[in-house]
């Protein structure tokens, strides 16, 4: 508001508005500071350039070529992209990735929100439970996947044992025999591993809401649900957006859990987009085509991230 | 009257405890299974239905870990340590320098550069893994722990720089000025006066990089193909596939435990820094 109230200020670089400093020692100090600043930023910038910016540009460059691991590469224009649009394996991978994202996002969100409300109190016990619920987050996806692969083993695993005891399946029901039940086991694992993260982020959002606000609403006669619906939820919106974008971006990039737990099977039913890129580039060694698929994935993810920035920026100004 | 009041007061409390304890059981049970399975004798580990707890405690699975695969698991633990510690050290040094440069020693174009580095957040490394593989190959870094550490450093740097820039920017200029008038040079002012105040940021950056590098699977799977150089997450695939006939779930879970326990211990010791870093990074 205050910025827009100033009329007709021509945009100028901040430095020009300041009256010129007297030349002399102060200027050389300033110059030295600038040079030192550049020198300090340079090493990080070099690493980011070599291992991020160059590969980023190269992804697009390679995607325009037929690029085998060994031997000559050959310019093919947009042929790889045209091929991708008609490639049933790739389209199936995209469809599966979207299905997985659509399945897991609401579950994770509900679990995270429930946990956050559960531990949102000022007590020693609540803090201990926070730490406990967060514990699976620090374990890697590979370790968690192998752990749950065992839990769900037909006959041998405790989960399968539990299912038998509660009459949900027989001792040799193989949950990895169909893509659907395999997907459900993977989803259970990911919820177990990631819900704590969502809890923590939502909790920090909840804690930033001043207690007086909800108290005032209660005093004014609003019930618990009304307070939640009309006070807590609107104030929590930026955090909710953030958490949603995190889980969508994470699910679109899923690889480890499917590679380890279902091996992409049965009959390629659980191949995700990243998994298909992996197979194209590093099993079939069609690096150019893999790069084209990567470029397509990148565009989608950049859109998700841009959406995140937009949502967060809006929250800053509201 | 008193009784009813008591019940009304304690019932929600009791329900809260019950709910929290139930979730705790769901959260902790898989971890308990990991430990109990890894401590069973190989015969007990294959029992169907599974036993609830190890009837005879046996370190056999852990000793067997040393003799599986080409080089044994302890070599892989070493690989993971080298990669994670190397990436952590490099990230901390580079992020501290750059964070200080971006926060306190602005130069022409520094704003744009900072934005470029932050933009790295938007593109995950899964999307550029194909050329990354070619570049490392061209530099002679494919199949090396150094190459892997450099890749991890690259992808942790943006977050680290962001965290460190914020840590330094939060310090009032008067601290730096005081150090300068006391006769410290610019570098001296940073190292002796500002850095100690920014230590929590350094610890957060270090923790995140260490966890990410220790647990990373996708890049490790692709960029390192020589089994002797595998890091732990990829080693688990060897443990699960290298055995003749049926899988030994006791051995696999021992491998999982070796991979997971260092993270759990580190988290429990330093969770304050982990959580504040996470929240600061996510909210801003």
């Amino acid at each position: 508001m205050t910025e827009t109230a100033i009329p007709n200020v021509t945009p100028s670089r901040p430095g020009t508005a300041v009256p010129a400093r007297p030349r002399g020692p102060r200027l050389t100090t300033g110059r030295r500071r600038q040079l030192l600043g550049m020198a300090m930023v340079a090493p990080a910038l070099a690493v980011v350039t070599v291992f991020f910016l160059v590969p980023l540009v190269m992804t697009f460059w390679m995607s325009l070529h037929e690029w085998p691991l060994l031997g000559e590469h050959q310019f093919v224009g947009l042929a790889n992209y045209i091929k991708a649009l008609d490639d049933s394996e790739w389209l199936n991978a995209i469809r599966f990735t979207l299905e997985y994202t659509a399945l897991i996002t609401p579950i994770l969100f509900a679990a995270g929100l429930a946990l956050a409300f559960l531990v949102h109190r000022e007590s020693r016990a609540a803090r201990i439970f926070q730490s406990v619920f967060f514990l699976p987050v620090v374990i890697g996806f590979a370790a968690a996947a192998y752990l749950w692969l065992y839990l769900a083993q037909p006959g041998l695993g405790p989960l399968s044992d539990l299912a038998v005891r509660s009459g949900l399946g027989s001792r040799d029901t193989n949950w990895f025999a169909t893509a659907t039940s395999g997907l459900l086991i993977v989803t259970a694992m990911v919820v177990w591993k990631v819900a704590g993260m969502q809890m923590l982020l939502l909790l920090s959002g909840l804690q930033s809401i001043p207690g007086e606000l909800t108290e005032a609403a209660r005093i004014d006669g609003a019930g618990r649900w009304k307070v939640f619906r009309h006070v807590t939820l609107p104030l929590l919106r930026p955090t909710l957006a953030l958490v949603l974008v995190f889980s969508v971006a994470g699910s679109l990039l899923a690889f480890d859990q499917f590679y380890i737990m279902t091996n992409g099977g049965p009959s390629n039913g659980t191949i995700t987009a990243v998994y298909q890129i992996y197979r194209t580039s590093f099993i079939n060694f069609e690096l150019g085509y893999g790069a084209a698929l990567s470029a397509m994935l990148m565009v989608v993810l950049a859109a998700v991230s841009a959406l995140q920035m937009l949502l967060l920026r809006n929250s800053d100004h509201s | 009257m008193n009784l009813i009041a008591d019940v009304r007061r304690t019932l929600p409390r009791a329900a809260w405890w019950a709910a929290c304890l139930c979730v705790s059981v769901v959260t902790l049970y898989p971890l308990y299974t990991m430990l109990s399975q890894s401590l069973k004798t190989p015969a007990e580990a294959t029992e169907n239905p599974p036993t609830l707890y190890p009837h005879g405690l046996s370190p056999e699975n852990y000793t067997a870990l040393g003799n599986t695969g080409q080089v044994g698991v302890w070599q892989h633990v070493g690989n993971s340590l080298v990669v994670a510690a190397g990436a952590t050290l490099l990230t901390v040094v580079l992020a501290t320098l750059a964070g200080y440069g971006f926060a306190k020693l602005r130069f022409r174009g520094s704003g744009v550069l900072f934005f470029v580095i932050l933009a790295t957040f938007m593109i995950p490394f899964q999307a550029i893994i194909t050329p990354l593989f070619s570049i490392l190959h061209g530099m002679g870094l494919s199949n090396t722990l150094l190459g892997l550490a450099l890749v991890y450093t690259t992808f942790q740097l943006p977050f680290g720089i962001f965290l460190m820039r914020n840590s330094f920017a939060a310090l009032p200029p008067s601290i730096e000025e005081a150090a300068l008038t006391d006769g410290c040079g610019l570098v001296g002012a940073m190292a002796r006066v500002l850095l100690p105040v920014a230590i929590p940021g350094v610890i957060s950056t270090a923790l995140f990089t260490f966890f990410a590098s220790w647990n990373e699977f996708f890049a490790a799977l692709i960029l390192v193909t020589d089994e002797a150089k595998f890091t732990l997450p990829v080693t688990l695939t060897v443990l699960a596939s290298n055995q003749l006939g049926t899988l030994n779930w006791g051995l696999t879970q021992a491998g999982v435990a070796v991979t997971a326990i260092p993270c759990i211990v580190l988290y429990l010791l330093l969770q304050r820094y982990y959580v504040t870093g996470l929240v600061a990074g996510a909210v801003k």
Side-chain angles (χ1 to χ4, degrees), chain A residues 33 40 43 47 51 55 59 118 121 129 131 134 138-140 146-147 150 155-156 171 192 200 255-256 281 294, chain B residues 16 24 27 31 37 46 48-50 94 104 127 130-132 154 176 190 215 217-218 237 253 267 271 274 278:
Chain A
R33 289 180 70 100
M40 288 175 112
V47 170
F51 296 104
T59 302
L118 198 58
R121 351 185 127 192
F129 283 124
S131 302
F134 190 77
V138 301
I139 296 168
Y146 275 108
L147 177 50
Y150 163 67
L156 296 174
R171 207 151 275 293
W192 173 76
L200 194 77
F255 171 79
D256 305 6
S281 285
S294 303
Chain B
W16 182 80
S24 300
T27 309
L31 297 175
Q37 191 68 8
T46 54
N48 177 359
L94 294 185
K104 296 284 181 195
T130 305
L132 207 49
T154 309
E176 193 197 357
M190 176 193 155
N215 287 326
F217 180 73
F218 183 69
T237 65
Q253 293 310 310
Y267 163 70
Q271 57 172 307
Y274 191 86
L278 192 80

Side-chain angles (χ1 to χ4, degrees), chain B:
Chain B
M1 281 298 276
N2 253 345
L3 185 73
I4 292 171
D6 275 355
V7 169
R8 286 189 74 169
R9 209 176 52 240
T10 54
L11 200 61
R13 251 185 93 77
W16 182 80
W17 274 95
C20 282
L21 288 173
C22 282
V23 180
S24 300
V25 169
V26 173
T27 309
L28 296 176
Y29 184 72
L31 297 175
Y32 162 76
T33 310
M34 167 187 88
L35 283 178
S36 97
Q37 191 68 8
S38 72
L39 291 169
K40 287 176 185 174
T41 60
E44 196 188 340
T46 54
E47 262 179 54
N48 177 359
T51 47
L52 198 58
Y53 56 92
H55 290 275
L57 281 180
S58 145
E60 230 173 300
N61 289 317
Y62 288 91
T63 45
L65 277 181
N67 309 316
T68 32
Q70 283 174 12
V71 290
V73 155
W74 308 115
Q75 163 97 42
H76 298 294
V77 173
N79 292 345
S80 273
L81 270 178
V82 167
V83 169
T88 304
L89 191 71
L90 203 57
T91 306
V92 164
V93 171
L94 294 185
T96 307
L97 287 173
Y100 189 78
F102 281 129
K104 296 284 181 195
L105 304 169
R106 304 253 167 89
F107 51 90
R108 183 179 291 209
S110 70
V112 177
L113 280 182
F114 184 61
F115 182 78
V116 168
I117 286 184
L118 280 195
T120 319
F121 270 139
M122 288 214 262
I123 293 153
F125 70 87
Q126 284 94 333
I128 61 166
I129 193 77
T130 305
L132 207 49
F133 176 82
S134 302
I135 288 171
L136 286 175
H137 196 76
M139 295 172 82
L141 288 174
S142 67
N143 235 340
T144 62
L145 297 179
L146 175 65
L148 200 56
L150 281 168
V151 169
Y152 292 160
T153 302
T154 309
F155 286 92
Q156 293 304 312
L157 259 182
F159 184 71
I161 291 177
F162 175 77
L163 219 58
M164 291 315 297
R165 193 197 80 116
N166 283 1
S167 306
F168 285 124
L171 303 177
S174 55
I175 299 186
E176 193 197 357
E177 277 158 24
L180 287 175
T181 45
D182 282 354
C184 293
L186 278 173
V187 179
M190 176 193 155
R192 260 173 281 158
V193 183
L194 289 165
L195 196 55
V197 195
I199 278 293
V202 171
I203 298 179
S204 295
T205 307
L207 264 182
F208 276 104
T209 312
F210 189 87
F211 277 115
S213 313
W214 181 270
N215 287 326
E216 206 283 330
F217 180 73
F218 183 69
L221 181 73
I222 289 169
L223 300 177
V224 178
T225 48
D226 173 2
E227 193 188 314
K229 290 176 183 158
F230 280 174
T231 50
L232 277 174
V234 186
T235 307
L236 293 177
T237 65
V238 179
L239 289 184
S241 68
N242 238 13
Q243 305 151 4
L244 300 167
T246 50
L247 275 178
N248 179 347
W249 285 106
L251 186 73
T252 315
Q253 293 310 310
V256 170
V258 168
T259 313
I261 287 173
C263 295
I264 295 176
V265 170
L266 213 55
Y267 163 70
L268 291 177
L269 289 177
L270 296 168
Q271 57 172 307
R272 191 159 58 91
Y273 299 100
Y274 191 86
V275 170
T276 46
L278 192 80
V279 170
V283 173
K284 274 164 194 159

